[in-house]
């Protein structure tokens, strides 16, 4: 039987080609994901190890690290790392040197004033020259390091993007006015924030301290050990020398490197899991193709299998023979998929380092033994699972009765059982979807969607006849006999049609659901922005750090401004007395706004209480926060402010949900004086005398000093930014789902090609009685078109239903969100499905039309 299985694989290698390609593509997705994430993880760990190679112990100030990135200039609550601390550590036995580090955000403007890099990775730090005048962290490529407040150094990629050369003037800003600094040098850095698309600006130490912390203060001290010094012993000595405080923490360089390695491993694991989800979808689609192919092969070999039974082969041997065929196909395709996956990993790395400019660290390609085993095991296992049912059907072929039949029709009992199982799954899935949608349970919606998909797949043979019949009148009217024959061929074997269409249905379902969810989110954001925000412009940092307090005064002086309000977050502790519930002694964030103008800048809808609560010195609480913390109108809250003073605030009203307003609003005049000195602003809302005009927008940019990190956004900008974010996510998802669509196309090609092979005699008879080659080609193409449209229609319907349930779960997070079905895109998906059907039929139709009439009629 093993020889028989091998002979069958070699005899039908042409018909198995598409199946092998489907397995290969799915396995390549798996192998490519594993190779790429292993290679990237290894390169990042190697780079990380180099970063800590000369650091024995690091002391960090958690308060200073946080302050460096929001530039508030507030006084430190605990002990700080100063130059005195650095000198104490240098004097310790075994310490060769101690480097003080300061860091934060720093935006670099190009010659047009636009920000170079993304807002979150615009890194600023201090340049710490050693005895040779260079900083070993940042090797010089050209020029020298900065020496005073008028100079700066940039990483080479940022300098290239901005077109800067040593000696040029560079416009740099943190959270205030733009500084005009001289570029003294360019640096090389392996900082992942910079290599991922950010920028690096290096200042002299005194300037960095002034910008990010306070004079003489460091965020971190890195201790370099003398040769032969034990890092653990040095760590103990460092801890003894440090002032006591919860904000100061000392660790060895090895500990920090290990922590970074764990973070890298976690990040690559998340990426791998995400990509593996799409690989699983591709393999799941491949299962339909494999099962369909082996079912057709078994049907075409009915007489051969019956003869084997007649000469003594047992059912188990027949089953084993088909399984061995599947294993050989899976093994061959998996090895090819592994090689293709390695190529995908190399291509992906080249793509990210090339056109996408991700600048991933260099490193050798990592093909782990586990990757090889996983890729081959997945491919073989998926093929065996898909071939299990065809193998069972093959074993049930009767030795004599099957001799005169080319294919055994499904029994009524098996069809009834299949339809019953499918109906139960569909009902259970629909019930779970409805329950998850009403209860806003995402997991329940996911389970319901899975069960519904399985149920519909099982019921697809039952659905194929009525849905395909919808196109029958059109086909007969437009295409005549070929159209009629195509319709009859498409419904002749419902199981085969269902398996072929289901592969396409999966991709269309996922793409449709993503599109509908994206359109719904965009509509909700657009509506809420239009209804909730009255301000013409919002001014905020692009990286969501704090604005300098001076910005508000500058904006107030800008020409054309009629009203404005700052928004500042003030953390307080609330004590409402014993026995009052969840809010006792808990932290709360009050957003301080201008009580007199906020109603002109945002829509304030009052559910309970007074609309003048803020003017009266009281709080306004959103309905969601009110329910969560059980705040009621009239509640008097005992608060402790950031400056340590105590007071009381009264809840004056409950707001309707509003995306433009924070959960708890307080008057700036009441809580602002108790904020930490120099605390920054979250944003500034601005209304113009003449509305949103380009003149006002430019005036606001000028008022903020043209800082590239400060964004001035109007309603159109906010909507466009949201839409772009959704579009980017959708495009990435579409790209990842593209593999499953390609596999589905291979499935249609394979089914049509094998269908043409088994219907050679029938095609020969049609040619003999007068149907020309054009009619044959048209018949095959229309049959493929019907199958693809059937899969597309089912996928669109399922996608819309799943998206509806998913959208309902977002109701608490996105105010007023409703299910939006974009008709143009849905029509495009159906047209794409039709195009896939026609494209997939080109080769089978050409092959059918080329059949010799006499040879076809004589065929068995």
């Amino acid at each position: 039987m093993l020889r028989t299985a091998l002979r069958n694989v070699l005899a039908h290698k042409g018909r198995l080609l598409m199946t092998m390609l489907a397995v290969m593509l799915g396995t390549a997705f798996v192998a490519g994901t594993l190779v790429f994430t292993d290679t990237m993880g290894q390169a990042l760990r190697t780079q990380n190890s180099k970063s800590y190679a000369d650091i024995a112990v690091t002391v960090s100030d958690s308060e200073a690290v946080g302050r460096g990135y929001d530039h508030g200039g507030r006084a430190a609550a605990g002990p700080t790392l100063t130059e005195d601390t650095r000198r104490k550590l240098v004097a310790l036995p075994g310490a060769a040197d101690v480097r003080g580090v300061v860091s934060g955000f720093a935006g670099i403007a190009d010659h047009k004033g636009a920000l170079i890099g993304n807002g979150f990775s615009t890194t600023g730090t201090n340049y710490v020259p050693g005895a040779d005048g260079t900083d070993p962290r940042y090797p010089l490529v050209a020029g020298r390091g900065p020496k005073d407040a008028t100079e700066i150094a940039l990483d080479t990629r940022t300098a290239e993007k901005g077109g800067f050369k040593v000696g040029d003037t560079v416009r740099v800003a943190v959270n205030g006015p733009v500084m005009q600094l001289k570029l003294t040098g360019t640096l090389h850095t392996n900082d992942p924030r910079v290599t991922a698309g950010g920028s690096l600006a290096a200042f002299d130490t005194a300037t960095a301290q002034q910008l990010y912390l306070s004079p003489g203060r460091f965020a971190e001290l890195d201790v370099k050990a003398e040769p032969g010094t034990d890092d653990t012993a040095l760590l103990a000595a460092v801890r003894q020398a440090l002032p006591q405080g919860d904000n100061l923490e000392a660790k060895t360089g090895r500990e920090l490197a290990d922590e970074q390695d764990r973070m890298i491993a976690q990040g690559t694991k998340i990426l791998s899991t995400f990509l593996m989800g799409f690989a699983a979808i591709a393999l799941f689609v491949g299962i339909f193709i494999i099962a369909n192919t082996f079912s057709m092969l078994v049907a075409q070999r009915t007489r051969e299998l019956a003869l084997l039974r007649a000469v003594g082969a047992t059912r188990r041997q027949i089953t084993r023979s088909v399984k061995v065929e599947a294993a050989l196909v899976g093994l061959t395709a998996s090895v090819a998929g592994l090689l293709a996956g390695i190529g995908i990993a190399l291509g992906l790395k080249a793509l990210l380092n090339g056109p996408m400019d991700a600048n991933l660290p260099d490193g050798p390609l990592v093909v782990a033994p586990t990757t090889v085993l996983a890729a081959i095991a997945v491919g073989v296992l998926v093929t065996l699972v898909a071939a299990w049912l065809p193998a069972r059907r093959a074993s049930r072929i009767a030795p004599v009765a099957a001799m005169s039949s080319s294919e055994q029709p499904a029994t009524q009992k098996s069809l009834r059982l299949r339809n019953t199982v499918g109906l139960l799954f569909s009902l259970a899935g629909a019930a779970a979807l409805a329950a998850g949608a009403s209860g806003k349970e995402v997991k329940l919606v996911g389970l319901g969607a899975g069960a519904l998909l399985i149920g519909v797949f099982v019921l697809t043979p039952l659905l194929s006849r009525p849905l395909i019949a919808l196109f029958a009148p059109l086909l007969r009217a437009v295409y005549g006999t070929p159209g009629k024959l195509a319709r009859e061929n498409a419904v002749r074997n419902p199981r085969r049609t269902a398996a072929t269409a289901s592969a396409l249905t999966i991709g269309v379902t996922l793409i449709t659901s993503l599109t509908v969810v994206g359109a719904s989110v965009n509509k909700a954001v657009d509506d809420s922005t239009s209804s909730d925000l009255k301000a013409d412009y919002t001014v905020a940092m692009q990286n969501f750090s704090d604005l300098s307090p001076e910005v508000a005064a500058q904006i107030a002086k800008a020409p054309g401004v009629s009203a404005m309000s700052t928004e500042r977050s003030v953390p307080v502790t609330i004590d409402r007395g014993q026995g009052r519930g969840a809010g006792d002694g808990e932290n709360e964030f009050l957003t301080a706004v201008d009580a007199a103008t906020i109603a002109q800048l945002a829509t304030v809808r009052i559910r309970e209480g007074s609309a003048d609560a803020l003017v009266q010195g009281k709080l306004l609480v959103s309905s969601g926060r009110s329910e969560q913390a059980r705040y009621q109108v009239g509640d008097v809250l005992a608060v402790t402010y950031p400056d340590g003073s105590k007071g009381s605030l009264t809840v004056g009203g409950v707001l309707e949900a509003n995306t433009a307003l924070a959960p708890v609003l307080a008057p700036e005049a009441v809580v602002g004086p108790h904020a930490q000195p120099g605390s920054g602003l979250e944003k500034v809302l601005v209304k113009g005398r003449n509305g949103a005009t380009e003149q006002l927008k430019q005036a606001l940019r000028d008022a903020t000093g043209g800082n590239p990190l400060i964004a001035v956004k109007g309603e159109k900008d906010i909507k466009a930014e949201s839409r772009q974010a959704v579009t980017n996510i959708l495009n990435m998802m579409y790209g990842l789902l593209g593999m499953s669509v390609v596999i589905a196309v291979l499935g249609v090609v394979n089914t049509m090609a094998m269908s043409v092979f088994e219907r050679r005699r029938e095609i020969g008879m049609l040619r003999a009685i007068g149907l020309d080659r054009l009619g044959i080609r048209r018949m095959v193409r229309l049959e493929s078109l019907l199958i693809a449209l059937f899969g597309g229609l089912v996928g669109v319907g399922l996608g819309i239903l799943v998206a509806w349930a998913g959208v309902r779960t977002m109701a608490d997070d996105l105010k007023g969100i409703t299910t939006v079905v974009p008709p143009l895109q849905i029509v495009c998906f159906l047209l794409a499905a039709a195009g896939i059907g026609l494209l997939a039929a080109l080769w089978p139709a050409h092959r059918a039309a080329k059949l010799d009439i006499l040879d076809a009629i004589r065929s068995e």
Side-chain angles (χ1 to χ4, degrees):
M1 297 306 292
L2 177 61
R3 288 196 298 271
T4 300
L6 182 59
R7 178 186 62 81
N8 286 330
V9 170
L10 295 176
H12 302 114
K13 54 182 178 293
R15 279 175 268 176
L16 289 169
L17 177 62
M18 297 300 174
T19 299
M20 291 182 178
L21 284 175
V23 179
M24 186 196 76
L25 289 175
T27 306
F29 208 145
V30 173
T33 296
L34 294 175
V35 171
F36 176 71
T37 52
D38 287 348
T39 299
M40 185 175 66
Q42 181 62 45
L44 289 173
R45 286 191 293 272
T46 301
Q47 177 180 285
N48 178 57
S49 178
K50 292 178 180 178
S51 299
Y52 291 97
D54 66 338
I55 299 176
V57 177
T58 290
V59 183
S60 59
D61 180 348
S62 59
E63 288 184 3
V65 171
R67 294 305 317 123
Y69 288 89
D70 57 21
H71 317 303
R74 298 191 289 266
T80 60
L81 299 176
T82 63
E83 181 61 25
D84 289 340
T85 312
R86 193 189 74 82
R87 291 194 188 99
K88 287 181 182 179
L89 299 186
V90 170
L92 291 175
D97 190 21
V98 178
R99 180 172 57 225
V101 178
V102 184
S103 58
F105 288 114
I108 311 299
D110 62 18
H111 291 297
K112 295 181 180 180
L115 179 68
I116 298 177
N118 57 69
F120 295 98
S121 300
T122 51
T123 306
T125 189
N126 61 321
Y127 188 82
V128 187
D132 60 352
T134 64
D135 189 333
R137 295 176 302 165
Y138 307 117
L140 282 169
V141 177
R144 59 171 176 81
K147 294 182 178 180
D148 56 42
T150 65
E151 298 178 342
I152 192 174
L154 299 177
D155 68 282
T156 53
R157 296 177 73 242
T158 300
E160 289 173 3
K161 288 179 181 179
F164 298 123
K165 298 179 180 179
V166 173
D168 288 351
T169 298
V170 179
R171 300 176 71 245
V172 188
V174 287
N175 66 337
V178 172
M179 300 173 287
Q180 306 277 347
L181 304 179
K182 180 182 177 181
L183 180 63
T184 62
T186 56
L187 316 166
H188 175 73
T189 177
N190 289 322
D191 189 326
R193 292 171 298 179
V194 180
T195 58
S199 61
L200 175 69
F203 306 93
D204 70 289
T205 297
T207 301
Q209 290 173 331
Q210 184 67 40
L211 288 173
Y212 299 124
L213 296 171
S214 56
R217 186 179 178 188
F218 296 104
E220 183 180 298
L221 293 176
D222 295 334
V223 183
K224 182 179 180 180
E226 293 180 348
T229 303
D230 180 67
D231 290 354
T232 304
L234 183 57
L235 174 64
V238 167
R239 286 175 173 168
Q240 288 291 327
L242 290 175
Q244 296 301 310
D246 294 336
N247 60 306
L248 300 183
E249 184 179 22
K251 292 183 179 180
T252 65
R254 183 67 264 165
E255 288 176 325
L256 291 173
D258 290 342
E259 287 181 4
Q260 290 295 319
D261 284 349
R262 285 191 290 271
M263 292 176 64
I264 292 170
Q266 183 180 6
T268 54
K269 182 179 179 181
I270 292 172
L271 176 62
S272 177
T273 302
F274 175 74
L275 294 177
M276 280 297 183
F278 291 91
I281 293 172
L283 289 169
F284 185 61
V285 171
I287 286 176
F288 289 93
I289 297 172
I290 299 165
N292 207 21
T293 301
F294 277 94
S295 293
M296 295 178 74
L297 284 175
V298 167
Q300 292 171 9
R301 286 160 40 200
T302 298
R303 292 187 178 183
E304 175 189 333
L305 294 172
L307 180 61
L308 289 173
R309 290 293 315 282
V311 298
T314 65
R315 286 188 172 184
R316 179 174 297 180
Q317 287 177 314
I318 296 294
T319 301
R320 189 179 301 154
S321 174
V322 177
K323 288 182 177 178
V324 169
E325 289 181 48
L328 291 173
V329 170
L331 181 62
T332 304
S334 297
V335 173
L338 174 63
L339 297 177
I342 295 173
I344 288 174
L346 289 171
L348 185 58
K349 185 177 179 181
L351 175 66
L352 291 173
N353 280 336
M356 298 186 69
D357 199 26
N359 199 27
L360 296 175
D362 292 329
L365 189 70
V366 179
V367 184
T370 53
T371 298
V372 176
L373 293 175
I376 294 176
V378 165
V380 173
L381 182 62
V382 165
T383 311
L384 286 174
V385 168
W388 180 72
L389 278 177
R392 283 178 58 84
R393 291 197 192 105
S395 69
R396 292 174 180 172
I397 295 176
V400 177
M403 286 289 198
S404 59
S405 175
S406 61
E407 184 173 353
Q408 289 181 304
T411 64
Q412 291 298 317
K413 180 180 178 181
S414 67
L415 290 176
R416 283 197 299 269
L417 178 61
R418 177 176 181 141
N419 293 339
T420 301
V421 171
L423 184 62
L424 290 175
F425 265 98
S426 298
L427 291 175
L433 270 183
S438 60
K440 300 178 179 61
E441 293 289 339
V442 177
K443 290 184 179 179
L444 191 56
V445 167
L447 290 174
L452 182 61
L453 283 172
I454 293 173
V456 170
F457 290 157
V458 176
L459 285 175
T460 304
L462 183 65
L463 299 173
S464 62
R465 287 183 178 275
L467 286 178
I468 291 177
L470 294 175
F471 299 96
L474 178 63
L475 291 175
R476 283 197 300 267
V478 177
Y479 298 105
T481 299
K484 180 181 179 181
L485 292 172
R487 184 260 175 190
E488 291 176 354
N489 289 334
V491 298
R492 177 188 298 184
N493 192 324
R495 279 182 171 172
R496 182 183 303 170
T497 299
T500 306
S502 294
L504 185 60
T505 296
I506 296 171
V508 176
T509 298
L510 294 173
I511 289 173
T512 300
S513 60
L514 287 171
T515 302
V516 172
V517 169
S520 302
V521 170
N522 281 334
K523 180 68 163 52
V525 172
D526 285 354
D527 290 347
S528 62
T529 301
S530 299
S531 63
D532 294 346
L533 185 66
K534 291 183 180 180
D536 294 317
Y537 292 102
T538 63
V539 181
M541 296 287 286
Q542 292 195 48
N543 50 30
F544 296 103
S545 60
D546 289 345
L547 282 166
S548 172
E550 290 78 15
V551 169
Q554 295 165 349
I555 290 175
K557 299 175 184 177
V561 174
S562 63
M564 60 166 284
S565 174
T566 60
E567 289 191 9
R568 173 173 21 188
S569 182
V570 181
V572 299
T573 302
I574 294 179
D575 184 0
R576 293 186 286 176
Q578 298 298 319
R580 288 303 305 274
D584 296 338
E586 290 190 349
N587 295 328
E588 182 65 89
F589 286 92
L590 309 180
T591 299
V593 298
D594 189 326
T597 60
I598 191 62
Q600 302 176 50
L601 301 162
T603 303
V604 180
R605 305 183 189 90
I606 300 296
R607 175 179 291 186
E608 299 177 49
S610 171
D612 296 326
L614 291 175
V615 178
Q616 298 167 3
K618 299 178 181 180
L619 301 178
L620 282 179
V621 183
S622 69
S623 56
R625 185 58 184 152
S626 174
E627 293 173 5
Q628 182 183 17
R630 294 192 289 176
Y631 292 137
Q632 297 179 5
V633 175
D635 281 355
V636 178
L637 312 177
V639 300
T640 302
Y641 292 106
D643 61 359
S645 62
K646 296 182 181 296
S648 63
L649 294 170
T650 303
V651 178
V654 176
L655 291 168
E656 295 284 355
N658 187 308
T659 57
L661 296 175
V664 183
L665 299 180
E668 168 69 27
V670 175
V671 303
H674 301 291
Q676 289 184 338
S679 62
L681 309 173
E682 290 185 3
K683 68 175 72 169
V684 180
L685 302 178
V686 181
K687 193 168 186 63
R689 295 190 186 94
N690 301 315
T693 64
E694 283 301 317
Q695 292 80 5
L696 176 59
K697 192 173 187 178
Q698 187 59 49
L700 295 176
R701 287 175 178 158
D702 294 340
T704 56
N707 188 328
L709 274 174
I710 296 179
V712 180
K713 298 178 184 178
E715 180 180 320
K716 291 181 180 179
D717 300 318
I718 296 172
K719 291 179 178 179
E721 190 176 73
S722 172
R723 285 183 173 274
Q724 187 60 49
V726 173
T727 299
N728 290 340
I729 294 173
L730 289 179
N731 288 340
M732 180 181 64
M733 295 293 188
Y734 292 158
L736 293 171
L737 288 171
M739 186 70 76
S740 64
V741 176
V742 171
I743 293 175
V745 172
L746 294 178
V748 179
V749 174
N750 204 30
T751 298
M752 296 309 301
M754 295 184 72
S755 178
V756 166
F757 177 83
E758 70 180 20
R759 299 205 310 258
R760 285 176 300 169
R761 175 178 291 182
E762 176 186 323
I763 293 172
M765 292 297 296
L766 290 172
R767 289 292 314 282
I769 62 176
L771 190 62
D772 59 12
R773 289 182 174 180
L774 177 62
I776 294 295
R777 283 197 296 267
R778 184 170 291 169
M779 177 188 72
V780 175
R781 287 198 297 262
L782 291 175
E783 180 184 351
S784 178
L785 173 66
L786 285 173
I787 293 173
L789 277 176
F790 169 57
L793 283 171
V794 174
V796 165
L798 285 174
I800 293 174
L801 183 59
V802 171
W804 166 81
V807 167
R808 289 290 301 273
T809 64
M810 303 179 187
D812 289 341
D813 299 318
L814 280 174
K815 187 192 71 170
I817 189 171
T818 56
T819 304
V820 176
V821 180
L824 181 60
Q825 288 171 282
I826 296 301
V827 170
C828 287
F829 295 155
L830 291 176
L831 291 177
I836 286 171
L838 292 174
L839 180 66
L842 289 178
W843 177 59
H846 176 76
R847 184 181 178 189
K850 289 293 185 181
L851 286 175
D852 182 86
I853 297 176
L854 294 179
D855 288 343
I857 293 175
R858 287 199 307 267
S859 65
E860 290 292 334

